[in-house]
């Protein structure tokens, strides 16, 4: 995700099915225009999502029950 950090106008990001983890929360938190994020079927831990929610309360995060489980494939 560090390659996306410079995209200051990125408003929506779909990470569904990727191998992204909670280590990416700092990068996501620093994306100023990000308003919608899909993290379904990722390995992002619930505690990392809570940190993101605290840092960016206006961010809409799609978090189905599969969060915290590694992506298949």
């Amino acid at each position: 995700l560090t390659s996306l950090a410079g995209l200051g106008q990125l408003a929506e990001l779909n990470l569904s099915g990727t191998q992204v983890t909670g280590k990416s929360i700092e990068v996501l938190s620093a994306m100023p225009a990000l308003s919608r994020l899909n993290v379904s079927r990722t390995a992002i831990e619930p505690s990392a999502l809570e940190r993101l929610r605290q840092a960016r309360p206006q961010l809409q995060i799609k978090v189905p029950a599969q969060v915290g489980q590694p992506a298949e494939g």
Side-chain angles (χ1 to χ4, degrees):
L1 282 180
T2 55
S3 60
L4 298 177
L7 300 176
Q9 297 181 351
L10 185 66
E12 188 170 334
L13 183 59
N14 183 351
L15 297 173
S16 176
T18 66
Q19 295 183 9
V20 69
T21 67
K23 294 178 182 179
S24 302
I25 295 302
E26 291 77 21
V27 173
L28 295 169
S29 295
M31 300 176 89
L34 190 62
S35 61
R36 298 178 68 180
L37 176 66
N38 182 343
V39 292
S40 61
R41 299 186 338 247
T42 67
I44 296 179
E45 305 83 7
S47 60
L49 284 173
E50 184 56 33
R51 288 195 317 272
L52 181 57
R53 284 188 182 105
Q54 289 177 358
R56 298 284 310 278
Q58 75 283 5
L59 181 61
Q60 296 176 15
I61 305 172
K62 182 176 180 182
V63 186
Q66 294 92 343
V67 163
Q69 300 297 318
E72 294 181 15

